[in-house]
Amino acid sequence: MSRKRVAVLISGRGSNMAALIEAAKDKTYPAEIVLVLSNRPDAGGLSTARAAGIATETVDHTTFGKDRPAFERALQAALEKHRVEIVCLAGFMRLLTADFVGRWEGRMLNIHPALLPSFKGLDTHKRALEAGVKLHGATVHFVVPEMDSGPIVAQAAVAVRDDDSEETLAARVIQVEHRIYSLALKLVAEGRVRIVAGRCRTDGAAMPDGAFLAPEA
Ligand code: GRF
């Protein structure tokens, strides 16, 4: 089976992007990263991608002013040029219109640093600490027009410690982000994830039996 052609869209340091590039180095991985696209020319992830020999493009949103459709036409042109089949948003800090999202329905993933549907939006670690949740984590989901919604492909949880700061919590969450993003992309690229009534069903996936309790005695 041919590997799916994937673009990773970033705005910043690109550590999730780097994790996807790393996973896709394995020739048996069902996806290859053919493009890293940034809306910011100064995104740190661009040099990481170039160093890994991946094609990069920048579509600077500031040059389009308020003209979102024009920005998205430029995104779409870059994706078509590289014959992209699946789009992975990875710290891509632009909202996309329903029109663009619709074009990529069932073929665009996002990673969010919280256990959705809790803590949609920004500052998720700060809000998780304020809420006093004992489990926090990350979610990979298909993108739908409504922000941080859409069928959930995979989630990973970490325990929240009493002495956590935003930084220490973020440091543990990002580690599981890197693991679930490559896992979720693998499942989707293999065609094993079906969306049924707005929810993901995964063919042939093992589900862990154990429960994760926090705190422990
Ligand atoms: C990650 O926490 C991701 O969940 C969120 O933005 C951050 C991007 O980090 N959407 P990186 O650029 O992948 O390192």
Side-chain angles (χ1 to χ4, degrees):
M1 207 178 69
S2 68
R3 306 171 82 197
K4 289 277 190 271
R5 298 175 62 81
V6 172
V8 186
L9 270 55
I10 63 168
S11 301
R13 70 185 163 179
S15 73
N16 277 290
M17 170 213 75
L20 294 177
I21 290 172
E22 189 58 35
K25 277 187 187 164
D26 180 345
K27 294 284 175 259
T28 66
Y29 192 77
E32 57 177 325
I33 313 303
V34 297
L35 173 67
V36 168
L37 196 164
S38 174
N39 67 303
R40 297 182 55 118
D42 59 351
L46 285 171
S47 49
T48 313
R50 285 190 204 109
I54 313 268
T56 62
E57 302 254 4
T58 299
V59 179
D60 183 350
H61 66 277
T62 62
T63 63
F64 296 90
K66 287 191 171 16
D67 193 349
R68 256 177 216 279
F71 168 65
E72 292 180 347
R73 277 197 298 278
L75 288 183
Q76 182 68 24
L79 296 172
E80 285 175 12
K81 179 175 144 197
H82 292 269
R83 292 179 287 115
V84 168
E85 299 172 286
I86 297 174
V87 173
C88 289
L89 306 182
F92 184 69
M93 303 304 283
R94 301 304 297 167
L95 291 175
L96 297 165
T97 66
D99 188 52
F100 184 85
V101 171
R103 269 172 199 266
W104 289 93
E105 189 180 351
R107 299 184 298 147
M108 181 156 61
L109 297 170
N110 181 46
I111 186 151
H112 182 72
L115 291 170
L116 290 173
S118 293
F119 309 120
K120 296 180 180 183
L122 298 173
D123 297 324
T124 55
H125 306 315
K126 179 168 183 278
R127 289 187 290 136
L129 290 171
E130 282 167 1
V133 294
K134 301 303 178 203
L135 293 176
H136 184 47
T139 303
V140 177
H141 63 94
F142 283 106
V143 177
V144 296
E146 197 189 332
M147 188 186 63
D148 298 329
S149 302
I152 291 171
V153 180
Q155 293 188 301
V158 302
V160 180
R161 298 178 187 158
D162 287 356
D163 62 354
D164 261 330
S165 63
E166 265 182 76
E167 291 71 29
T168 58
L169 183 54
R172 288 203 308 290
V173 171
I174 198 81
Q175 288 182 23
V176 295
E177 288 189 40
H178 299 162
R179 290 171 59 191
I180 53 162
Y181 214 166
S182 51
L183 168 68
L185 176 59
K186 176 181 191 293
L187 295 171
V188 170
E190 286 173 343
R192 290 166 58 191
V193 182
R194 290 174 292 121
I195 302 172
V196 181
R199 284 173 294 201
C200 290
R201 298 279 176 259
T202 314
D203 293 332
M207 278 295 180
D209 278 334
F212 190 27
L213 280 63
E216 291 175 337

